């Protein structure tokens, strides 16, 4: 029998899913057979969990966690702090820095504490840097704290104090491609180290394309890994419709190009030191459901299974890139 991704890989293979998708037996079957780690596409984000100051909604996160445990999968928590996912009630409250931090601390303790021993890793902060490497000035945290990076450091500390063995990640996009952002993250890690804030890993989302320069990826990935932390390719998908064309056709040649890119990325990841390979996670499993049809273009085919749950060339590319 031909090998599956999870059967061949020496590190976890994850995918982003949701409760609704897992209730679809076709989706669930393809997921279980090929992947061994779960990320929540949105149901573990702050706005979905934190419904009011003392109100937490855990129905969906609980479902995801139980599903993963029943199917012997690891769980990666995504994401505790993301500027785009602070609940409206929280933003409206316009807390001063003390109240802001006390509330967030309670949130981190509550969420990390609930899944202690079950969720092995968390993205503590997601996307705090703008593309030029400065902090995102539109973010609530930025507006509230004189020293936002120290605030984030304390948040990593709150997570670590709640679960001493949980792996803590900083997650962002394009650190591998964008040296300004990569340098900003390097500075953040260096500061965390010198001031004693815990951090175990870096997640680079890898929402990438079949026309991205492989050389640039290779250089950036090597440089990012030189920090010595765990490296998670955390939201991999490879879009193909370069011109956002309504008449785009996903031809055999285009399928092959995408497959080659999957293979190249996995091969580059495999060149990292074994101990730094945390996981590769794809942002979904099937072209039937992908956030890119909204964010990029309705004609997109970024994942490993087609809309009928057949393995694409992309799957074979990924598989052959594994050691
Ligand atoms: C996206 C999800 O795919 C959507 O379903 C949701 O509505 C918005 O967020 N970077 C991230 C992810 O870190 O959390 C985002 O996921 C995609 C970009």
């Amino acid at each position: 029998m031909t090998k599956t991704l999870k059967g061949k890989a020496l590190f976890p293979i994850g995918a982003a899913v949701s409760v609704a998708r897992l209730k679809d037996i076709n989706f669930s079957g393809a997921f279980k057979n090929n992947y061994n780690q779960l990320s929540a596409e949105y149901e573990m984000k702050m706005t979905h969990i934190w419904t009011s100051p003392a109100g937490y909604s855990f129905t969906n996160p609980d479902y995801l966690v139980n599903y993963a445990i029943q199917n012997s999968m690891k769980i990666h928590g995504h994401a505790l702090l993301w500027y785009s996912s602070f609940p409206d009630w929280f933003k409206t409250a316009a807390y001063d820095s003390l109240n802001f931090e006390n509330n967030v601390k309670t949130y981190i303790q509550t969420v990390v504490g609930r899944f202690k021993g079950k969720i092995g890793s968390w993205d503590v902060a997601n996307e705090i840097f703008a593309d030029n490497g400065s902090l995102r000035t539109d973010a609530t945290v930025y507006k509230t704290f004189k020293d936002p990076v120290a605030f984030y450091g304390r948040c990593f500390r709150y997570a670590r104090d709640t679960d001493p063995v949980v792996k803590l990640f900083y997650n962002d996009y394009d650190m591998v491609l964008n040296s300004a952002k990569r340098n900003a993250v390097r500075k953040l890690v260096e500061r965390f180290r010198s001031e004693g804030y815990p951090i175990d890993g870096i997640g680079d989302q890898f929402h990438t394309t079949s026309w991205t320069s492989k050389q640039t990826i290779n250089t950036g990935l090597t440089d990012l890994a030189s920090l010595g932390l765990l490296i998670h390719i955390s939201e991999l998908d490879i879009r193909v419709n370069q011109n956002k064309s309504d008449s785009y056709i996903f031809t055999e040649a285009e399928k092959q190009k995408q497959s080659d890119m999957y293979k190249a990325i996995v091969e580059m990841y495999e060149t990292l030191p074994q101990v730094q390979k945390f996981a590769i996670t794809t942002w979904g499993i099937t072209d039937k459901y992908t956030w890119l049809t909204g964010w990029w273009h309705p004609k997109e085919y970024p994942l490993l299974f087609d809309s009928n749950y057949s393995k694409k060339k992309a799957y074979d590319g990924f598989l052959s890139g594994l050691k």
Side-chain angles (χ1 to χ4, degrees), residues 162-173:
T162 306
D163 182 346
V165 299
V166 73
K167 300 280 184 228
L168 304 176
F169 281 78
Y170 177 70
N171 197 60
D172 209 327
Y173 62 88

Side-chain angles (χ1 to χ4, degrees), residues 210-221:
S210 64
W211 59 92
T212 304
S213 155
K214 294 178 179 122
Q215 183 54 51
T216 309
I217 298 177
N218 198 27
T219 308
L221 185 61

Side-chain angles (χ1 to χ4, degrees), residues 151-165:
F151 164 77
Y152 285 115
R154 293 192 295 277
C155 289
F156 275 74
R157 166 63 58 200
Y158 301 143
R160 170 55 38 83
D161 287 347
T162 306
D163 182 346
V165 299

Side-chain angles (χ1 to χ4, degrees), residues 88-239:
D88 287 338
W89 65 260
F90 186 100
K91 288 188 273 192
T92 310
Y95 294 119
D96 63 15
S97 59
L98 195 71
N99 283 317
F100 189 111
E101 184 158 343
N102 279 334
N103 273 286
V104 166
K105 182 181 181 181
T106 303
Y107 178 78
I108 292 173
Q109 290 169 335
T110 305
V111 175
V112 175
R114 182 181 185 91
F115 299 113
K116 189 174 173 173
K118 294 180 173 170
I119 293 189
S121 52
W122 274 101
D123 291 331
V124 180
N126 190 32
E127 300 182 352
I128 77 171
F129 295 110
D131 292 347
N132 66 5
S134 64
L135 289 164
R136 276 178 193 273
T137 52
D138 54 342
T140 329
V141 169
Y142 184 87
K143 293 182 190 149
T144 308
F145 292 90
K146 285 205 194 80
D147 184 355
V149 171
F151 164 77
Y152 285 115
R154 293 192 295 277
C155 289
F156 275 74
R157 166 63 58 200
Y158 301 143
R160 170 55 38 83
D161 287 347
T162 306
D163 182 346
V165 299
V166 73
K167 300 280 184 228
L168 304 176
F169 281 78
Y170 177 70
N171 197 60
D172 209 327
Y173 62 88
D174 283 358
M175 287 165 288
V176 156
L177 299 179
N178 174 344
S179 60
K181 205 188 247 186
R182 191 160 70 244
N183 288 334
V185 172
R186 178 180 294 279
K187 285 212 181 88
L188 174 122
V189 171
E190 285 166 355
R191 180 156 176 214
F192 274 27
R193 282 178 170 155
S194 76
E195 297 182 15
Y197 298 122
I199 180 165
D200 302 290
I202 305 287
D204 193 313
Q205 295 175 6
F206 265 83
H207 294 295
T208 192
T209 79
S210 64
W211 59 92
T212 304
S213 155
K214 294 178 179 122
Q215 183 54 51
T216 309
I217 298 177
N218 198 27
T219 308
L221 185 61
T222 310
D223 189 40
L224 192 67
S226 72
L227 281 167
L229 295 172
L230 297 170
I231 299 293
H232 185 195
I233 292 186
S234 59
E235 306 181 11
L236 179 62
D237 47 26
I238 300 181
R239 53 191 188 273

